[in-house]
Amino acid sequence: MKIAVASDHAGFALKEQIAAALQGDGYEVTDFGADSEESVDYPDFAEPAAREVAVGEADCGVLVCGSGVGVAIVANKVDGVRAVNAHDAEEAAISRRHNDTNVLTLGERTTSPEQALEIVKSFLSTDFEG
């Protein structure tokens, strides 16, 4: 499974942890940046990652900013993307089961790395019910 990841500066550290964990679990990860904690504009990174999902080059996406809200707004403007800003594993699972979400957004300022990895795992392991 191929996963597009992206963040802004406020989500950089969490994105890096998520990407490393995903690669460790055998997922193919395409990182759209950011590449540091230097201030950047989140749409510059979230939009290309979301487009990768929309055109089928990635199976899903994980986007991170300070709150998860900004990258969710950007992703949901891309035709074919259904993004959820999930705050826990159950919310991520419900969004997959009932809404067929294909992009998960997270907030580094609101989510611990351990919680984020649990949310990502739930998102990736839940199928759409149809």
Side-chain angles (χ1 to χ4, degrees):
M1 178 181 278
K2 187 173 179 182
I3 303 170
V5 299
S7 72
D8 66 357
H9 58 284
F12 172 74
L14 184 58
K15 180 211 40 150
E16 292 292 297
Q17 291 175 315
I18 291 168
L22 290 171
Q23 289 171 328
D25 287 342
Y27 292 99
E28 182 181 348
V29 175
T30 303
D31 188 341
F32 286 82
D35 298 321
S36 73
E37 292 180 345
E38 183 177 331
S39 185
V40 294
D41 294 326
Y42 60 84
D44 294 341
F45 303 95
E47 183 180 6
R51 288 199 184 286
E52 188 91 345
V53 174
V55 300
E57 292 295 320
D59 298 297
C60 63
V62 179
L63 311 178
V64 187
C65 66
S67 66
V69 174
V71 290
I73 291 169
V74 170
N76 278 318
K77 289 183 178 183
V78 176
D79 286 341
V81 170
R82 294 166 306 283
V84 60
N85 183 21
H87 300 94
D88 59 45
E90 183 60 20
E91 190 174 19
I94 290 168
S95 77
R96 287 284 306 128
R97 252 191 319 270
H98 299 291
N99 305 112
D100 196 20
T101 53
N102 53 8
V103 171
L104 170 67
T105 73
L106 297 166
E108 182 174 323
R109 295 178 182 147
T110 60
T111 312
S112 72
E114 297 79 19
Q115 185 181 22
L117 293 174
E118 181 182 331
I119 294 168
V120 170
K121 183 177 180 180
S122 177
F123 182 80
L124 295 176
S125 66
T126 304
D127 293 321
F128 178 50
E129 289 179 343

